[in-house]
Amino acid sequence: MGLIGEVLLLPFAPVRGSLWAVRQVLTEAERQYFDPATVRAELALLERRLEAGEIDEEAFDHQEDELLDRLEIALGTGPGTDIGITG
C-alpha cells in the first residue's frame, strides 16, 4: 500500500491491531482445542469421572463422542479425508 493509502487508513490502525490480536487468540485457542494430547487427556479424565460415578453412562457416551470427533479432526482421519478408514 502506498503512502497515501497508509495515511488515509491511519485512523483505523487501532481496529486493525485489535483484529490481528483477536485472530492470534483464536488461532491459539483452536490449536489447543484440537491438540491430540489435550483431547486424549480429556478422554482419560472423562473415563475417571465415569468410574468415580460423577457422570452416568449417557453423559459419558455423549461427551466421548464429542471428544472423539475432535480427535478425528485433529488427526485428519475424519470421514472427509483420504486417510480415514473406509468400509
Side-chain angles (χ1 to χ4, degrees), residues 41-82:
E42 290 182 34
L43 281 167
L45 176 63
L46 185 63
E47 188 171 353
R48 285 194 300 272
R49 290 182 63 206
L50 176 67
E51 291 171 356
E54 296 176 15
I55 59 173
D56 63 7
E57 192 74 34
E58 183 179 339
F60 173 82
D61 289 341
H62 178 72
Q63 292 176 21
E64 182 187 41
D65 287 344
E66 290 178 359
L67 289 169
L68 291 175
D69 289 344
R70 276 176 44 197
L71 189 59
E72 284 180 356
I73 291 169
L75 297 175
T77 57
T81 64
D82 292 336

Side-chain angles (χ1 to χ4, degrees), residues 27-48:
T27 299
E28 180 61 19
E30 286 177 344
R31 187 193 65 76
Q32 290 179 12
Y33 183 77
F34 289 109
D35 179 33
T38 301
V39 177
R40 287 184 184 113
E42 290 182 34
L43 281 167
L45 176 63
L46 185 63
E47 188 171 353
R48 285 194 300 272

